[in-house]
Amino acid sequence: MQDQKDVLRRFYSDEVPDETRETVTYFFDYCYGICPIFHPASFVYRIVEGKVEKLLLDAMRAFVARIIMRKTGKKFDHDEIIKRIYQSLLLQLNDPSLDYVCAVVIAATMNGGEGDFIMFNSLSCMAVSLVTRLGWSTLDIDIKELPRTWEEWCTLEIKRRVFWLTYTNDCYQSFLGNRPITIGSLSPFVSAPKAEYTWEDMTVPQSSGWPCQTNISESNSDIVRNASVAHAFQDGCAIVSIMAKMGIFFWHFKVSLSSASTMNDNALNIRYRQNWSMKPIEIPQPLSNMLECAEFKALHERLARWRDGLVRAEDLKRHWSPSFLFSEFGSHKHRLHIMRVRYFCLYGHFVTAFIILHLSNRPSFFSTPACAAAAFKEPPLSTVASAEDKALRDLLAYAFPGAIHEGFLATDTLKESWDLCVDTVYEYVDFLKKNADIPLERYDHVIPISLFVCITVLIRSIRMCKQKIDDLAGGADQERQQLVRARKEIIKDIRALRYMWSLLTDLGAVWQVRGMTDLLRIMQVEEMSNTAELLSDLEL
């Protein structure tokens, strides 16, 4: 392989078309933290040698197209690029190369980021099918011989990273789609992405310092000092694994209490399936709180430990470096820059998972009153949904399964879990403000979902406070303190709602998140007018 300085000279010369150089530069600047699957130095070498397939370059360009148009003012047909990608994916499906699989995974991640959940699901399933068919889901038990050259080892590590990005997307689909993960195991037989800084450093000779290693016992201070982006990648794989376990728990919990649990394989009368029924979760009955269930409590504690173990994005603020040249890629300062953005986004993953987990701690989580009565001491609240709630529920069903989207509108979440949700929202607002210098175009696809989830919590909190204020108005002197507390709480809610709504609408303008924008538009029309009415009533 050529000297890296010569490779970079050729990369910035006429040997590389302007469009290709622009695509690669923007992708590695804005999207490498989300999709850290390539070895940067080797990839640039393949670019200058003309060995990267056009399909992969198209997928990368589609991912960064909106950023390029926003930053440069250029105009080009983004939909035409997408159409060309989909046509090429079908034509090359029978003989997939490494570049082909990378293109599929990048296209899936892009669609998730833009809120096109149908294509996200389709392409994620396609990627799962490919990595399973090619044996990448069992790389480290099926490997016939150890790699003998740098190129062989580098290719093996890229396959590992492609698998883990595929696994991440599949876990999200499992969580949001109320289905088991497609890969079929929560413990894949693939090593974690290696976490040596030499993987990203463009100045390190490719033939030295391999194979990279991962030290899982490193402290956060060591992670920051070494500045390996793969640590953030590993933490992302961990949170989605927890989310996949949450999805499986929700399903098993509901089935354990439903009439379906009595429909075993003998009753279904299917030959050769006798005694294959799923083992129900052991639930202490009746519950007064789902935190009494060992599995629920374990998920709560695991999420909290994951959050507490994260590198704090605000602690990396002094390393912020918005300017970028490829010659700087992989430097210590640049790696810290990527790490800060990733750990900032990963906190939003925690917020989404934690709130959705605790919104399930309610009697109405179960599909029928009989199931709820079997699980909880207190019956579910019988409320009549308003017309706007019904409309919002229909829109929510487009993106989230019933068990999740019903939680966004439910009013019977148990107090302990509800208080945790509200506190998490306030903590998230503080976190976002501490990191407000990070540009919106660097947010990943989970941040809009996390903001949406928080807004639904704030809207219900405002409604509850408004009802409490109405009930306490004109009451006795001893109720005045409660009224004062309710007014203070609603003011805090409204300020948080204003901040998050403004951030979300600005983010929509940057990314043009189609699916999420559809869901939030009705909230803008209905709920924000209610907020304005509250502001007027309280004379804030």
Side-chain angles (χ1 to χ4, degrees), residues 284-363:
Q285 297 183 17
L287 289 170
S288 59
N289 192 320
M290 280 183 72
L291 284 165
E292 297 173 4
C293 178
E295 288 85 354
F296 186 95
K297 187 175 181 180
L299 288 167
H300 164 87
E301 292 173 347
R302 184 172 293 189
L303 282 170
R305 286 197 304 271
W306 182 88
R307 173 201 58 196
D308 295 341
L310 281 182
V311 174
R312 291 163 55 91
E314 56 269 32
D315 291 345
L316 297 171
K317 194 169 185 176
R318 65 182 182 276
H319 301 293
W320 183 247
S321 177
S323 60
F324 175 76
L325 292 173
F326 230 110
S327 57
E328 300 170 357
F329 191 93
S331 66
H332 186 264
K333 184 176 182 180
H334 182 253
R335 296 198 308 273
L336 287 172
H337 160 77
I338 298 176
M339 285 179 64
R340 184 191 173 202
V341 173
R342 285 312 301 150
Y343 278 112
F344 167 80
C345 295
L346 284 175
Y347 190 87
H349 296 217
F350 160 78
V351 170
T352 302
F354 191 79
I355 290 178
I356 288 178
L357 175 68
H358 279 279
L359 289 181
S360 70
N361 191 9
R362 54 187 168 84

Coordinates of all heavy atoms in Angstrom, one line a residue, residues 284-363:
P284 N -45.7 -12.2 40.2 CA -46.4 -12.2 41.5 C -47.8 -11.5 41.3 O -47.8 -10.3 40.8 CB -45.5 -11.4 42.4 CG -44.7 -10.5 41.5 CD -44.5 -11.3 40.2
Q285 N -48.9 -12.1 41.6 CA -50.2 -11.6 41.4 C -51.0 -11.4 42.6 O -50.9 -12.3 43.5 CB -51.0 -12.5 40.4 CG -50.3 -12.6 39.0 CD -51.1 -13.4 38.1 OE1 -52.3 -13.7 38.3 NE2 -50.5 -13.9 37.0
P286 N -51.8 -10.3 42.8 CA -51.8 -9.2 41.8 C -50.7 -8.2 42.1 O -50.2 -8.1 43.2 CB -53.1 -8.6 42.0 CG -53.4 -8.8 43.5 CD -52.8 -10.2 43.8
L287 N -50.2 -7.5 41.1 CA -49.2 -6.5 41.2 C -49.8 -5.2 41.7 O -50.9 -4.8 41.3 CB -48.5 -6.2 39.9 CG -47.6 -7.3 39.3 CD1 -47.2 -6.9 37.9 CD2 -46.3 -7.5 40.1
S288 N -49.0 -4.4 42.5 CA -49.4 -3.1 42.7 C -48.5 -2.2 41.9 O -48.7 -1.0 41.8 CB -49.2 -2.7 44.2 OG -47.8 -2.9 44.6
N289 N -47.4 -2.7 41.3 CA -46.4 -2.0 40.6 C -45.6 -3.0 39.8 O -45.1 -4.0 40.3 CB -45.5 -1.2 41.5 CG -44.7 -0.1 40.8 OD1 -44.1 -0.4 39.8 ND2 -44.6 1.0 41.5
M290 N -45.3 -2.7 38.5 CA -44.5 -3.6 37.7 C -43.1 -3.7 38.1 O -42.4 -4.6 37.8 CB -44.6 -3.2 36.2 CG -45.9 -3.7 35.5 SD -45.9 -3.4 33.7 CE -44.7 -4.6 33.1
L291 N -42.6 -2.7 38.9 CA -41.3 -2.8 39.5 C -41.2 -4.0 40.5 O -40.1 -4.3 40.9 CB -41.0 -1.5 40.2 CG -40.6 -0.4 39.3 CD1 -40.6 1.0 40.0 CD2 -39.2 -0.6 38.7
E292 N -42.3 -4.6 40.9 CA -42.3 -5.8 41.7 C -41.9 -7.0 40.9 O -41.6 -8.1 41.4 CB -43.7 -6.0 42.4 CG -44.1 -4.9 43.3 CD -45.5 -5.1 43.8 OE1 -46.1 -6.1 43.5 OE2 -46.0 -4.2 44.5
C293 N -42.0 -6.9 39.6 CA -41.7 -8.0 38.7 C -40.1 -8.0 38.5 O -39.6 -6.9 38.1 CB -42.4 -7.8 37.3 SG -42.0 -9.1 36.1
A294 N -39.5 -9.1 38.7 CA -38.0 -9.1 38.7 C -37.5 -8.7 37.3 O -36.5 -8.0 37.2 CB -37.5 -10.6 39.0
E295 N -38.1 -9.2 36.2 CA -37.6 -8.9 34.9 C -37.7 -7.4 34.6 O -36.8 -6.8 34.0 CB -38.3 -9.7 33.8 CG -38.0 -11.1 33.8 CD -38.8 -11.9 34.8 OE1 -39.6 -11.3 35.6 OE2 -38.7 -13.2 34.8
F296 N -38.8 -6.7 35.0 CA -39.0 -5.3 34.8 C -38.0 -4.5 35.6 O -37.3 -3.6 35.1 CB -40.4 -4.9 35.2 CG -40.8 -3.5 34.9 CD1 -41.4 -3.1 33.7 CD2 -40.4 -2.4 35.8 CE1 -41.7 -1.8 33.4 CE2 -40.7 -1.1 35.5 CZ -41.4 -0.8 34.3
K297 N -37.8 -4.9 36.8 CA -36.8 -4.2 37.7 C -35.4 -4.4 37.1 O -34.6 -3.4 37.2 CB -36.9 -4.8 39.1 CG -36.0 -4.0 40.1 CD -36.2 -4.5 41.5 CE -35.4 -3.7 42.5 NZ -35.6 -4.2 43.9
A298 N -35.1 -5.6 36.6 CA -33.7 -5.8 36.0 C -33.5 -4.9 34.8 O -32.4 -4.4 34.6 CB -33.6 -7.3 35.7
L299 N -34.5 -4.7 34.0 CA -34.4 -3.8 32.8 C -34.2 -2.4 33.3 O -33.3 -1.7 32.7 CB -35.6 -3.9 31.9 CG -35.7 -5.2 31.1 CD1 -37.2 -5.4 30.5 CD2 -34.7 -5.3 30.0
H300 N -35.0 -2.0 34.3 CA -34.8 -0.6 34.8 C -33.4 -0.4 35.3 O -32.7 0.6 35.0 CB -35.8 -0.4 35.9 CG -35.5 0.8 36.8 ND1 -35.9 2.0 36.6 CD2 -34.8 0.8 38.0 CE1 -35.5 2.9 37.5 NE2 -34.8 2.2 38.4
E301 N -32.9 -1.3 36.1 CA -31.5 -1.2 36.6 C -30.4 -1.3 35.6 O -29.4 -0.6 35.7 CB -31.3 -2.3 37.7 CG -32.2 -2.1 38.9 CD -32.1 -3.3 39.9 OE1 -31.5 -4.4 39.5 OE2 -32.6 -3.2 41.0
R302 N -30.6 -2.1 34.6 CA -29.6 -2.2 33.5 C -29.6 -0.9 32.7 O -28.5 -0.5 32.4 CB -30.0 -3.4 32.6 CG -28.9 -3.7 31.5 CD -29.2 -4.9 30.8 NE -29.0 -6.1 31.6 CZ -29.0 -7.4 31.2 NH1 -29.2 -7.6 29.9 NH2 -28.8 -8.4 32.0
L303 N -30.7 -0.3 32.4 CA -30.7 0.9 31.7 C -30.0 2.0 32.5 O -29.2 2.8 32.0 CB -32.1 1.4 31.4 CG -32.8 0.7 30.2 CD1 -34.3 1.0 30.1 CD2 -32.1 1.1 28.9
A304 N -30.3 2.1 33.8 CA -29.7 3.1 34.7 C -28.2 2.9 34.8 O -27.4 3.9 34.7 CB -30.3 3.0 36.1
R305 N -27.7 1.6 34.9 CA -26.2 1.4 34.9 C -25.6 1.8 33.6 O -24.5 2.4 33.6 CB -26.0 -0.1 35.2 CG -26.2 -0.5 36.6 CD -25.5 -1.9 36.9 NE -25.9 -2.9 36.0 CZ -27.0 -3.7 36.2 NH1 -27.7 -3.6 37.3 NH2 -27.3 -4.7 35.3
W306 N -26.3 1.5 32.5 CA -25.7 1.9 31.2 C -25.6 3.4 31.1 O -24.5 3.9 30.6 CB -26.7 1.4 30.1 CG -26.2 1.7 28.7 CD1 -25.3 0.9 27.9 CD2 -26.5 2.8 27.9 NE1 -25.1 1.5 26.7 CE2 -25.8 2.7 26.6 CE3 -27.2 3.9 28.1 CZ2 -25.8 3.6 25.6 CZ3 -27.3 4.9 27.1 CH2 -26.6 4.7 25.9
R307 N -26.6 4.1 31.5 CA -26.5 5.6 31.5 C -25.4 6.1 32.4 O -24.6 7.0 32.0 CB -27.9 6.2 32.0 CG -27.9 7.7 32.2 CD -29.0 8.1 33.1 NE -28.8 7.5 34.4 CZ -29.8 7.4 35.3 NH1 -31.0 7.9 35.1 NH2 -29.6 6.8 36.5
D308 N -25.3 5.6 33.6 CA -24.3 6.0 34.5 C -22.9 5.7 34.0 O -21.9 6.4 34.4 CB -24.5 5.4 35.9 CG -25.8 5.8 36.5 OD1 -26.4 6.9 36.1 OD2 -26.3 5.1 37.4
G309 N -22.7 4.7 33.2 CA -21.4 4.4 32.7 C -21.0 5.1 31.4 O -19.8 4.9 31.0
L310 N -21.9 5.9 30.8 CA -21.5 6.7 29.6 C -20.5 7.8 29.9 O -20.5 8.4 30.9 CB -22.8 7.3 29.0 CG -23.8 6.5 28.2 CD1 -24.9 7.4 27.7 CD2 -23.1 5.7 27.1
V311 N -19.7 8.0 28.9 CA -18.8 9.2 28.9 C -19.7 10.4 28.7 O -20.7 10.4 27.9 CB -17.8 9.1 27.7 CG1 -17.0 10.4 27.6 CG2 -16.9 7.9 27.9
R312 N -19.5 11.4 29.5 CA -20.4 12.6 29.5 C -20.0 13.5 28.3 O -18.8 14.0 28.2 CB -20.2 13.4 30.8 CG -20.8 12.6 32.0 CD -20.3 13.2 33.4 NE -20.5 14.6 33.5 CZ -21.6 15.2 34.0 NH1 -22.5 14.4 34.5 NH2 -21.7 16.5 34.1
A313 N -20.9 13.7 27.5 CA -20.7 14.5 26.3 C -20.2 15.9 26.6 O -19.3 16.5 25.9 CB -21.9 14.6 25.4
E314 N -20.8 16.5 27.6 CA -20.4 17.9 28.0 C -19.0 18.0 28.5 O -18.3 19.0 28.4 CB -21.4 18.5 29.0 CG -21.5 17.7 30.3 CD -22.6 16.7 30.3 OE1 -22.9 16.2 29.2 OE2 -23.2 16.4 31.3
D315 N -18.4 16.9 29.0 CA -17.0 16.9 29.5 C -16.0 16.9 28.3 O -14.9 17.2 28.5 CB -16.8 15.6 30.3 CG -17.5 15.6 31.6 OD1 -18.0 16.7 32.0 OD2 -17.6 14.6 32.3
L316 N -16.5 16.6 27.1 CA -15.7 16.7 25.9 C -15.8 18.0 25.1 O -15.3 18.1 24.0 CB -16.0 15.5 25.0 CG -15.8 14.1 25.5 CD1 -16.4 13.0 24.6 CD2 -14.3 13.8 25.8
K317 N -16.5 18.9 25.7 CA -16.9 20.1 25.0 C -15.7 20.9 24.6 O -15.6 21.5 23.5 CB -17.8 21.0 25.9 CG -18.5 22.2 25.2 CD -19.5 22.8 26.1 CE -20.3 23.9 25.4 NZ -21.4 24.4 26.2
R318 N -14.6 20.9 25.4 CA -13.4 21.7 25.0 C -12.7 21.1 23.8 O -11.8 21.8 23.2 CB -12.5 21.7 26.2 CG -11.9 20.3 26.6 CD -11.0 20.4 27.8 NE -10.3 19.2 28.2 CZ -10.9 18.2 28.9 NH1 -12.2 18.5 29.3 NH2 -10.3 17.1 29.2
H319 N -13.1 19.9 23.4 CA -12.5 19.3 22.2 C -13.2 19.5 20.9 O -12.9 19.0 19.9 CB -12.3 17.8 22.4 CG -11.5 17.4 23.7 ND1 -10.2 17.7 23.8 CD2 -11.9 16.8 24.8 CE1 -9.8 17.2 25.0 NE2 -10.8 16.7 25.6
W320 N -14.3 20.4 21.0 CA -15.1 20.6 19.8 C -14.3 21.2 18.7 O -13.6 22.1 18.8 CB -16.3 21.5 20.2 CG -17.2 21.7 19.0 CD1 -17.4 22.9 18.4 CD2 -18.1 20.7 18.5 NE1 -18.4 22.7 17.4 CE2 -18.8 21.4 17.4 CE3 -18.3 19.4 18.7 CZ2 -19.7 20.7 16.7 CZ3 -19.2 18.7 17.9 CH2 -19.9 19.4 16.9
S321 N -14.4 20.5 17.5 CA -13.6 21.0 16.3 C -14.5 20.9 15.1 O -14.5 19.9 14.4 CB -12.4 20.1 16.2 OG -11.7 20.4 15.0
P322 N -15.3 21.9 14.8 CA -16.2 21.8 13.6 C -15.5 21.8 12.3 O -16.1 21.3 11.3 CB -17.1 23.1 13.8 CG -16.2 24.0 14.6 CD -15.4 23.2 15.5
S323 N -14.4 22.4 12.1 CA -13.7 22.4 10.8 C -13.1 21.0 10.5 O -12.8 20.2 11.4 CB -12.6 23.4 10.7 OG -11.6 23.1 11.7
F324 N -13.0 20.6 9.2 CA -12.6 19.2 8.9 C -11.9 19.2 7.6 O -12.4 19.7 6.6 CB -13.9 18.3 8.9 CG -13.6 16.9 8.4 CD1 -13.0 16.0 9.3 CD2 -13.9 16.5 7.2 CE1 -12.7 14.7 8.9 CE2 -13.6 15.2 6.7 CZ -13.0 14.3 7.6
L325 N -10.7 18.5 7.6 CA -10.0 18.1 6.4 C -9.7 16.6 6.5 O -9.5 16.1 7.7 CB -8.8 18.9 6.2 CG -8.9 20.4 5.9 CD1 -7.5 21.1 5.9 CD2 -9.6 20.6 4.6
F326 N -9.6 15.9 5.4 CA -9.4 14.5 5.5 C -8.0 14.2 6.1 O -7.8 13.2 6.8 CB -9.5 13.8 4.2 CG -10.4 12.6 4.2 CD1 -11.6 12.6 3.5 CD2 -10.0 11.5 4.9 CE1 -12.4 11.5 3.6 CE2 -10.8 10.4 4.9 CZ -12.0 10.4 4.3
S327 N -7.1 15.1 5.9 CA -5.8 14.9 6.5 C -5.8 14.9 8.1 O -4.9 14.4 8.7 CB -4.8 16.0 6.0 OG -5.3 17.3 6.3
E328 N -6.9 15.5 8.6 CA -7.0 15.6 10.1 C -7.8 14.4 10.6 O -7.9 14.2 11.8 CB -7.8 16.9 10.5 CG -7.1 18.1 10.0 CD -8.0 19.4 10.2 OE1 -9.2 19.2 10.6 OE2 -7.5 20.5 10.0
F329 N -8.4 13.6 9.7 CA -9.3 12.5 10.2 C -8.5 11.5 11.0 O -7.4 11.1 10.6 CB -9.9 11.8 9.0 CG -11.0 10.8 9.4 CD1 -12.3 11.2 9.5 CD2 -10.7 9.5 9.8 CE1 -13.3 10.4 9.9 CE2 -11.7 8.7 10.2 CZ -13.0 9.1 10.3
G330 N -9.0 11.1 12.2 CA -8.4 10.2 13.0 C -7.3 10.7 14.0 O -6.8 10.0 14.8
S331 N -7.1 12.1 13.9 CA -6.2 12.7 14.9 C -6.9 12.6 16.3 O -8.1 12.4 16.3 CB -5.9 14.1 14.5 OG -7.1 14.9 14.6
H332 N -6.1 12.8 17.3 CA -6.7 12.7 18.7 C -7.8 13.7 18.8 O -8.9 13.3 19.4 CB -5.6 12.9 19.7 CG -6.1 12.7 21.1 ND1 -6.5 13.7 21.9 CD2 -6.2 11.5 21.8 CE1 -6.8 13.2 23.1 NE2 -6.7 11.9 23.1
K333 N -7.6 14.9 18.4 CA -8.6 15.9 18.6 C -9.9 15.6 17.8 O -11.0 15.7 18.2 CB -8.1 17.3 18.1 CG -9.0 18.4 18.3 CD -8.4 19.8 18.0 CE -9.3 20.9 18.2 NZ -8.7 22.2 17.9
H334 N -9.7 15.1 16.6 CA -10.8 14.7 15.7 C -11.6 13.5 16.3 O -12.8 13.5 16.2 CB -10.4 14.5 14.3 CG -11.5 14.2 13.3 ND1 -11.8 12.9 12.9 CD2 -12.5 15.0 12.8 CE1 -12.9 12.9 12.1 NE2 -13.3 14.2 12.1
R335 N -10.9 12.5 16.8 CA -11.6 11.4 17.4 C -12.4 11.8 18.6 O -13.5 11.3 18.8 CB -10.6 10.3 17.8 CG -9.8 9.7 16.6 CD -9.1 8.4 17.0 NE -8.3 8.5 18.2 CZ -7.0 8.8 18.3 NH1 -6.4 9.2 17.1 NH2 -6.4 8.8 19.4
L336 N -11.9 12.7 19.4 CA -12.7 13.2 20.5 C -13.9 14.0 20.1 O -15.0 13.9 20.7 CB -11.8 14.1 21.4 CG -10.7 13.4 22.2 CD1 -9.8 14.4 22.9 CD2 -11.4 12.5 23.3
H337 N -13.8 14.7 19.0 CA -14.9 15.4 18.4 C -16.0 14.4 18.0 O -17.2 14.6 18.3 CB -14.4 16.2 17.1 CG -15.5 16.6 16.2 ND1 -16.3 17.6 16.4 CD2 -15.8 16.0 15.0 CE1 -17.2 17.7 15.3 NE2 -16.9 16.8 14.5
I338 N -15.6 13.3 17.3 CA -16.6 12.3 16.9 C -17.2 11.7 18.1 O -18.5 11.4 18.2 CB -16.0 11.2 16.0 CG1 -15.4 11.9 14.7 CG2 -17.0 10.1 15.7 CD1 -14.7 10.9 13.8
M339 N -16.4 11.4 19.1 CA -16.9 10.7 20.3 C -17.9 11.6 21.1 O -18.9 11.1 21.6 CB -15.7 10.4 21.3 CG -14.9 9.2 20.8 SD -13.5 8.9 22.0 CE -14.4 8.5 23.5
R340 N -17.7 12.9 21.1 CA -18.6 13.8 21.8 C -20.0 13.7 21.1 O -21.0 13.6 21.8 CB -18.1 15.2 21.8 CG -19.0 16.1 22.7 CD -18.7 17.5 22.5 NE -19.8 18.3 23.2 CZ -20.1 19.6 23.0 NH1 -19.4 20.2 22.1 NH2 -21.0 20.2 23.6
V341 N -20.0 13.8 19.8 CA -21.3 13.7 19.1 C -22.0 12.4 19.4 O -23.2 12.4 19.6 CB -21.0 14.0 17.6 CG1 -22.3 13.7 16.8 CG2 -20.5 15.3 17.3
R342 N -21.2 11.3 19.3 CA -21.9 10.0 19.5 C -22.4 9.8 20.9 O -23.5 9.3 21.1 CB -20.9 8.9 19.2 CG -20.6 8.6 17.8 CD -21.9 8.6 16.9 NE -22.8 7.5 17.3 CZ -24.1 7.6 17.2 NH1 -24.7 8.7 16.7 NH2 -24.9 6.6 17.6
Y343 N -21.6 10.2 21.9 CA -22.1 10.1 23.3 C -23.3 11.0 23.6 O -24.2 10.7 24.4 CB -21.0 10.3 24.3 CG -20.2 9.0 24.5 CD1 -18.8 8.9 24.0 CD2 -20.7 7.9 25.0 CE1 -18.1 7.8 24.1 CE2 -20.0 6.7 25.1 CZ -18.7 6.6 24.7 OH -18.0 5.5 24.8
F344 N -23.3 12.2 22.9 CA -24.4 13.1 23.0 C -25.7 12.4 22.5 O -26.7 12.4 23.2 CB -24.2 14.4 22.2 CG -25.4 15.2 22.0 CD1 -25.9 16.0 23.0 CD2 -26.1 15.2 20.8 CE1 -27.0 16.8 22.8 CE2 -27.2 15.9 20.6 CZ -27.7 16.7 21.6
C345 N -25.6 11.8 21.3 CA -26.7 11.1 20.7 C -27.1 9.9 21.6 O -28.3 9.6 21.7 CB -26.4 10.7 19.3 SG -26.2 12.1 18.2
L346 N -26.2 9.1 22.1 CA -26.5 7.9 22.8 C -27.3 8.2 24.1 O -28.1 7.4 24.5 CB -25.2 7.2 23.2 CG -24.5 6.4 22.1 CD1 -23.2 5.8 22.6 CD2 -25.4 5.3 21.6
Y347 N -27.1 9.4 24.7 CA -27.9 9.7 25.8 C -29.4 9.8 25.4 O -30.3 9.4 26.2 CB -27.5 11.0 26.5 CG -28.1 11.3 27.8 CD1 -27.6 10.9 29.0 CD2 -29.3 12.1 27.9 CE1 -28.2 11.1 30.2 CE2 -29.9 12.3 29.1 CZ -29.4 11.8 30.2 OH -30.0 12.1 31.4
G348 N -29.7 10.3 24.2 CA -31.1 10.3 23.7 C -31.6 8.9 23.6 O -32.8 8.7 23.7
H349 N -30.8 7.9 23.2 CA -31.2 6.5 23.2 C -31.7 6.1 24.5 O -32.8 5.4 24.6 CB -30.1 5.6 22.7 CG -29.6 5.9 21.3 ND1 -29.2 4.9 20.4 CD2 -29.4 7.0 20.6 CE1 -28.8 5.4 19.3 NE2 -28.9 6.7 19.4
F350 N -31.0 6.4 25.6 CA -31.4 6.0 26.9 C -32.7 6.7 27.3 O -33.6 6.0 27.8 CB -30.3 6.5 28.0 CG -30.9 6.6 29.4 CD1 -31.1 5.5 30.1 CD2 -31.2 7.8 29.9 CE1 -31.6 5.5 31.4 CE2 -31.8 7.9 31.2 CZ -32.0 6.8 31.9
V351 N -32.9 8.0 27.0 CA -34.1 8.7 27.3 C -35.3 7.9 26.7 O -36.4 7.7 27.4 CB -34.1 10.1 26.9 CG1 -35.4 10.8 27.0 CG2 -33.0 10.9 27.7
T352 N -35.2 7.6 25.4 CA -36.3 6.9 24.7 C -36.6 5.6 25.4 O -37.8 5.3 25.7 CB -35.9 6.7 23.2 OG1 -35.6 7.9 22.6 CG2 -37.0 6.0 22.5
A353 N -35.6 4.8 25.6 CA -35.9 3.4 26.2 C -36.4 3.5 27.6 O -37.3 2.8 27.9 CB -34.6 2.6 26.1
F354 N -35.8 4.4 28.4 CA -36.2 4.5 29.8 C -37.7 4.9 30.0 O -38.4 4.4 30.8 CB -35.3 5.4 30.5 CG -35.4 5.4 32.0 CD1 -34.8 4.4 32.8 CD2 -36.1 6.4 32.7 CE1 -34.9 4.3 34.1 CE2 -36.2 6.3 34.1 CZ -35.6 5.3 34.8
I355 N -38.1 6.0 29.2 CA -39.4 6.5 29.3 C -40.4 5.4 28.8 O -41.5 5.2 29.4 CB -39.6 7.8 28.6 CG1 -38.8 8.9 29.4 CG2 -41.0 8.2 28.5 CD1 -38.8 10.3 28.7
I356 N -40.1 4.8 27.6 CA -41.1 3.8 27.1 C -41.2 2.6 28.1 O -42.3 2.1 28.3 CB -40.6 3.4 25.7 CG1 -40.8 4.5 24.7 CG2 -41.3 2.1 25.3 CD1 -40.4 4.2 23.3
L357 N -40.1 2.2 28.7 CA -40.2 1.2 29.7 C -41.2 1.5 30.8 O -42.1 0.7 31.1 CB -38.8 0.9 30.3 CG -38.8 -0.2 31.4 CD1 -39.1 -1.5 30.9 CD2 -37.4 -0.2 32.1
H358 N -41.0 2.7 31.4 CA -41.9 3.1 32.5 C -43.3 3.5 32.1 O -44.2 3.4 32.9 CB -41.2 4.2 33.3 CG -40.1 3.6 34.2 ND1 -40.4 3.1 35.4 CD2 -38.8 3.5 34.1 CE1 -39.3 2.6 36.0 NE2 -38.3 2.9 35.2
L359 N -43.5 3.9 30.9 CA -44.9 4.1 30.4 C -45.7 2.8 30.3 O -46.9 2.9 30.2 CB -44.9 4.9 29.1 CG -44.4 6.3 29.1 CD1 -44.5 7.0 27.7 CD2 -45.2 7.2 30.1
S360 N -45.0 1.7 30.3 CA -45.7 0.4 30.3 C -46.2 0.0 31.7 O -46.9 -1.0 31.8 CB -44.8 -0.7 29.7 OG -43.7 -1.0 30.6
N361 N -45.8 0.7 32.7 CA -46.2 0.4 34.1 C -47.5 1.0 34.4 O -47.7 1.9 35.1 CB -45.1 0.9 35.1 CG -45.3 0.4 36.5 OD1 -46.1 -0.5 36.7 ND2 -44.6 0.9 37.4
R362 N -48.5 0.4 33.8 CA -49.9 0.9 33.9 C -50.9 -0.3 33.6 O -50.6 -1.2 32.8 CB -50.1 2.0 32.9 CG -49.8 1.6 31.4 CD -49.8 2.7 30.4 NE -49.2 2.4 29.2 CZ -49.8 1.7 28.2 NH1 -51.1 1.4 28.3 NH2 -49.2 1.4 27.1
P363 N -52.0 -0.3 34.2 CA -53.0 -1.3 33.9 C -53.4 -1.4 32.4 O -53.6 -2.5 31.9 CB -54.2 -1.0 34.8 CG -53.6 -0.2 35.9 CD -52.4 0.6 35.3

